[in-house]
Amino acid sequence: DVKVTQSSRYLVKRTGEKVFLECVQDMDHENMFWYRQDPGLGLRLIYFSYDVKMKEKGDIPEGYSVSREKKERFSLILESASTNQTSMYLCATTGHHSGANVLTFGAGSRLTVL
Amino acid sequence: AQRVTQPEKLLSVFKGAPVELKCNYSYSGSPELFWYVQYSRQRLQLLLRHISRESIKGFTADLNKGETSFHLKKPFAQEEDSAMYYCALSVRGGSNYKLTFGKGTLLTVNP
């Protein structure tokens, strides 16, 4: 089974702080995604990456950036956290051998910005 | 642009009753559709995909291109089916894909 590990399950930050959310996968998957999950809004794609050092904007990239220096790691960065970024953040991966569209999700990182 | 609509935020049924979770999509290309499920305190996971044409945990979903729908059905709901369900549409951009999700339907199966 693919393991997608999000390093922080719960974080509490203050407005204006820089926040790093880390995601690591252990199955050599090419594609990695960051979503945020909000009640009533579903899952919205923030950024994704199909290769090392490659990134593409999703539907709601404003206020976020990402980094993919190694194939197994995909980081989501909030340069200056704001209260409207309080949310559950989900990392997901897909690989050619698992089915290009079958997402495997991490457990999520619940971020609260005060 | 592609869109996925799940018209019901909440759906409540009794155990043993049939259940249908609605999903409609808009996309000009050839769609690939999925249902994902999240049980309480568990990770979001794939339930089924339309190209597999299989039944998972008693659930089925048929792609209706004429009605642009992919409704999820189960003839006899069980309490353990209580969960959040998301319909998702895969869009191909070049050789890569990304998924667009609906807003989700919270299913509660009452005893």
Side-chain angles (χ1 to χ4, degrees):
Chain A
D1 282 350
V2 175
K3 286 188 178 176
V4 181
T5 303
Q6 294 184 232
S7 55
S8 302
R9 289 299 309 275
Y10 300 95
L11 303 93
V12 179
K13 299 292 182 181
R14 296 201 176 275
T15 300
E17 282 193 82
K18 190 169 186 176
V19 182
F20 291 89
L21 300 180
E22 302 286 335
C23 176
V24 178
Q25 51 102 355
D26 67 357
M27 286 296 290
D28 202 35
H29 275 188
E30 296 83 8
N31 312 317
M32 299 187 75
F33 305 81
W34 275 106
Y35 288 89
R36 61 178 284 178
Q37 182 183 31
D38 299 288
L41 296 177
L43 274 75
R44 292 177 291 167
L45 181 62
I46 305 171
Y47 266 97
F48 56 105
S49 170
Y50 292 127
D51 202 351
V52 175
K53 296 192 185 296
M54 177 272 180
K55 61 184 178 183
E56 288 195 33
K57 293 180 180 179
D59 300 318
I60 53 163
E62 296 79 18
Y64 304 94
S65 62
V66 291
S67 172
R68 193 163 181 202
E69 296 295 318
K70 294 184 178 181
K71 189 174 185 178
E72 67 270 20
R73 187 180 298 270
F74 191 37
S75 303
L76 180 69
I77 304 156
L78 289 67
E79 292 288 342
S80 177
S82 63
T83 55
N84 63 12
Q85 292 178 309
T86 291
S87 186
M88 172 68 85
Y89 290 88
L90 299 179
C91 176
T93 75
T94 66
H96 294 307
H97 51 282
S98 69
N101 297 308
V102 178
L103 290 167
T104 299
F105 284 90
S109 297
R110 183 168 293 283
L111 171 66
T112 301
V113 183
L114 302 176
Chain B
Q2 64 279 0
R3 183 179 298 172
V4 177
T5 302
Q6 293 179 250
E8 304 134 331
K9 284 188 178 180
L10 304 170
L11 184 61
S12 181
V13 300
F14 286 102
K15 178 182 174 181
V19 63
E20 181 178 70
L21 290 85
K22 290 183 168 49
C23 172
N24 289 91
Y25 67 91
S26 62
Y27 179 52
S28 57
S30 181
E32 187 171 0
L33 286 139
F34 303 79
W35 278 99
Y36 281 79
V37 62
Q38 189 168 32
Y39 302 102
S40 180
R41 296 191 178 87
Q42 293 189 27
R43 300 182 183 208
L44 196 58
Q45 60 186 290
L46 176 70
L47 179 62
L48 56 79
R49 53 195 302 195
H50 90 268
I51 62 172
S52 299
R53 296 182 175 272
E54 56 190 347
S55 173
I56 304 292
K57 299 184 178 183
F59 284 98
T60 58
D62 292 318
L63 178 60
N64 185 324
K65 291 186 179 181
E67 296 183 358
T68 60
S69 68
F70 188 57
H71 303 325
L72 183 68
K73 301 177 183 178
K74 186 170 183 176
F76 307 104
Q78 303 299 314
E79 290 180 68
E80 56 265 30
D81 296 328
S82 296
M84 178 67 83
Y85 291 80
Y86 292 97
C87 183
L89 167 69
S90 176
V91 174
R92 182 168 183 166
S95 60
N96 296 309
Y97 299 84
K98 67 173 185 176
L99 266 69
T100 297
F101 286 82
K103 294 183 178 181
T105 298
L106 180 62
L107 173 66
T108 302
V109 180
N110 300 297

